[in-house]
Every structure is written in structure tokens, then in C-alpha cells.
Amino acid sequence: MSIIIKNREEIEKMRIAGRLTSELLDYIKPFVKAGVTTNELDALCQDYTTNVLHAISAPLNYAPNGHKPYPKSICTSVNHQVCHGVPSEKKLKQGDIVNLDVTLIKDGYHGDSSRMFYVGEPSIQAKRLCEITYECMWHGIDAIKPGRHLGDIGHAIQTHAEKNGFSVVREFCGHGIGKTFHEDPQVLHYGKPGTGPKLEPGMVFTIEPMINAGKRDIRQLADGWSIVTKDHSLSAQWEHTILVSDTGYEVLTVSAGTPPKPPFIS
Ligand code: MF3
Ligand code: CO
Ligand code: CO
């Protein structure tokens, strides 16, 4: 495994890519309402990315090893969809929870972030899943500091999820990011403290836990991309792109509309 350490200039470019990524999520938020199709959200994001942010949508035609090219510009994962939900003509309805995952390329560097959105008023259980998943991501982020290990991040996430009666999806993980969308290291959302590579300043990776209300098992739909829970239980996910700084971490995917940190983060 070779983890690329980013230099000062690269980090500056990744700050910009990260901010634009977050601005795209800010932009789309008011459109996430009952009656909108996920294809409409996809088209709005594609247009804003190209014409306002002057950036490139990374998912469109993305074809990692063995996958057929991804057909859309964003991922829209609704309710029991875990990740990589492919936008379609299906309309969002009251009570849905939906993850919008967006990835931009600006000046050769990637930013990758996702948030959960409520369509109208979701059930208490659905809200709790989204909130705990957000806390899981932040417990992972809070474990980042030079000298700590990658396994510390996964352990923090898994502990919080399971303490709350939820399960962690194992098949997908966070990832190094930079000139390429997915690079080393793999950032697992479960694990043991003190295991895995040591964190060093200049590493940039995502933390993007997928947490299920029921069992952790998943399956892939016939479209070759969309992942759903096997037991049809709800699933939530949040994602930030993070830099390991000299003293701790810096969240790169930030903008005016970024949701506030949970109270346990100082
Ligand atoms: N944005 C996803 C991630 O966080 C990857 C999506 S790949 C795609 O890593 F092709 F489905 F867009
Ligand atoms: Co990612
Ligand atoms: Co993503």
C-alpha cells in the first residue's frame, strides 16, 4: 500500500475542490422535496457543476475495475439503498431519507462528500439513524491525528454504531483521494485500535460510514451499481474529505451550508 502525501500546493487545490463539492450539496438542498425525481436532482447537479462551479463531475462514466461505466453525475440512495443509488424517474415522497453523494474534479483534484436529506418529516427511527450515522462519521474524524492508526478511525465508528443498535456495512469503505477518485488507503469503518498504517500530515482521505438500522448484509441491484440492504432495513451515510494536518485534521469539504459539528467535538 502506498499512501500519497500531498504537498502544500496540492493541499490548496484540494481545499478548493472540497469547498466546491460542499457548495454543490448546499445548492441542491432546496430541491430535495416530495415529487422531485432523482433524475431531476442529477441534472440540476450536473448543470451547476459545469456552468457555475466550472468543475467536472467525477462519477459520470466512472468505471473502476470490472464495473460498467456509472451512468449519472451523482449518487442518490433512498431509504434502504446503502450507496451508489443510480438516479431514475422515481419521485421522492414524504418521509423518505435520501443520501446525495457528489464528487467533483477541480484543477485536477477531487472533492467527495455526501449528506442525508429528509423529504418532509421522516419517522423518528429514520431520523435517529441519520443522526447517529452523522455522529459516527464525526467520531471517526475525531480519531484523526498524526501518529494514530487507521484502525482507530474504524474502531470509533463501529463502537458508536453498535452501541446504538445499528450495524456497519463492511463491503465499502472510505478511501484516499487526490488526483484520483479512489486511491490508497482503504479507510474501513470498523476495526481495532492501533492497527493499520500510521497517519501522517499530508494524507487526504474520506470517511463515509454506511450504517444500517437492521443487519449489515447488502446486495447489488441488477443495474450493476445500486447497493441495498438485504433485509430491506433503512441505511444512512455521511461523507467528508479530510486532510491529516500537523496537529490533527482539517475537513476539506466545507462551505456555508455544511451542517454543524456535533456537540461532542470541541
Ligand atoms: N462517491 C462515492 C464514494 O464516496 C463513489 C461513487 S462511484 C460512482 O466513494 F461511480 F458510483 F459514482
Ligand atoms: Co468517497
Ligand atoms: Co462519495
Side-chain angles (χ1 to χ4, degrees), residues 58-64 67-75 83-86 101-103 111-114 173-175 177 181-182 206 208 210 225 237 239:
L60 188 61
N61 296 318
Y62 184 60
H67 269 281
K68 60 175 183 181
Y70 188 75
K72 301 283 173 171
S73 297
I74 65 171
C75 297
C83 64
H84 305 166
V86 179
D101 190 344
V102 303
T103 312
D112 189 8
S113 186
S114 80
C173 55
H175 49 91
I177 180 166
F181 194 162
H182 295 100
T206 71
E208 49 180 298
M210 284 140 275
W225 277 102
Q237 178 178 29
E239 175 176 26

Side-chain angles (χ1 to χ4, degrees), residues 121-136:
E121 192 65 13
S123 69
I124 288 169
Q125 190 224 15
K127 265 191 186 164
R128 187 171 160 267
L129 175 68
C130 295
E131 286 168 11
I132 298 291
T133 304
Y134 187 64
E135 292 175 5
C136 282

